[in-house]
Amino acid sequence: MQFKKTVPYKLKRIIPMLGIAGASLFMGGCEKEEPLRDVELHFSPDNYFEISYEDRGEYGISELSKAYVNEPTVGTIYLVPDGDWATCKTDIINEVRRRYLEPLFDYSPKFKGKGDFNFYPGAASQVSQDSLWFVNKGFTINKYRPLSDYQR
């Protein structure tokens, strides 16, 4: 007695088809992740309200800054200096770093520096630790200042 049954599919074709069918059971709907957005917080020598607050001599991180840190759709928070910083001497440079910016960078790794401080020519080099700190955080110092300003 001879049994002969013809299978309409070849075995080497069935295994991949079963794999594809099984994989489609585990795949959910295609959910696109929203890309993280970047935001900018601006500050100037006479206006720090977006990044900091002062209450009876105590300084702290602004509520806006904290809200952006806690927002899951925000990737990077850029701190951008605006205005004219040329009147800032060495003591002011140190104060800006210590009082306003350093607490933000310590608070969250989402904060990055962006933009240029146009400090008084030579003032940043007198406080080398502070100027290196600014550059390491992403800021530039006197990038757009013409060379003639240094020759005075």
Side-chain angles (χ1 to χ4, degrees), residues 62-131:
S62 72
E63 292 301 319
L64 178 62
S65 299
K66 289 179 182 179
Y68 279 139
V69 168
N70 295 327
E71 180 66 39
T73 62
V74 172
T76 303
I77 306 165
Y78 289 107
L79 303 174
V80 182
D82 289 336
D84 187 17
W85 295 83
T87 59
C88 296
K89 304 285 182 167
T90 56
D91 56 335
I92 302 296
I93 293 171
N94 182 270
E95 185 177 321
V96 168
R97 172 194 171 179
R98 190 179 35 80
R99 184 177 288 171
Y100 299 108
L101 297 177
E102 209 167 56
L104 292 168
F105 287 103
D106 291 343
Y107 185 74
S108 173
K110 285 187 173 185
F111 290 106
K112 304 275 186 260
K114 179 181 177 181
D116 186 60
F117 284 99
N118 64 332
F119 292 134
Y120 185 79
S125 64
Q126 294 175 4
V127 284
S128 59
Q129 289 179 341
D130 290 334
S131 62

Side-chain angles (χ1 to χ4, degrees), residues 22-36:
S24 66
L25 292 174
F26 295 107
M27 295 177 106
C30 292
E31 295 180 22
K32 286 187 176 181
E33 287 189 24
E34 292 294 322
L36 296 178

Side-chain angles (χ1 to χ4, degrees), residues 7 9-18:
V7 178
Y9 297 103
K10 292 184 179 178
L11 187 58
K12 64 181 177 182
R13 291 185 183 158
I14 289 179
I15 293 174
M17 287 177 20
L18 288 174

Side-chain angles (χ1 to χ4, degrees), residues 79-81 85 113-119 124 131-145 150:
L79 303 174
V80 182
W85 295 83
K114 179 181 177 181
D116 186 60
F117 284 99
N118 64 332
F119 292 134
S131 62
L132 289 173
W133 184 89
F134 281 104
V135 172
N136 284 334
K137 297 301 182 185
F139 298 105
T140 56
I141 297 176
N142 296 341
K143 180 177 180 179
Y144 303 108
R145 188 175 293 276
Y150 293 104

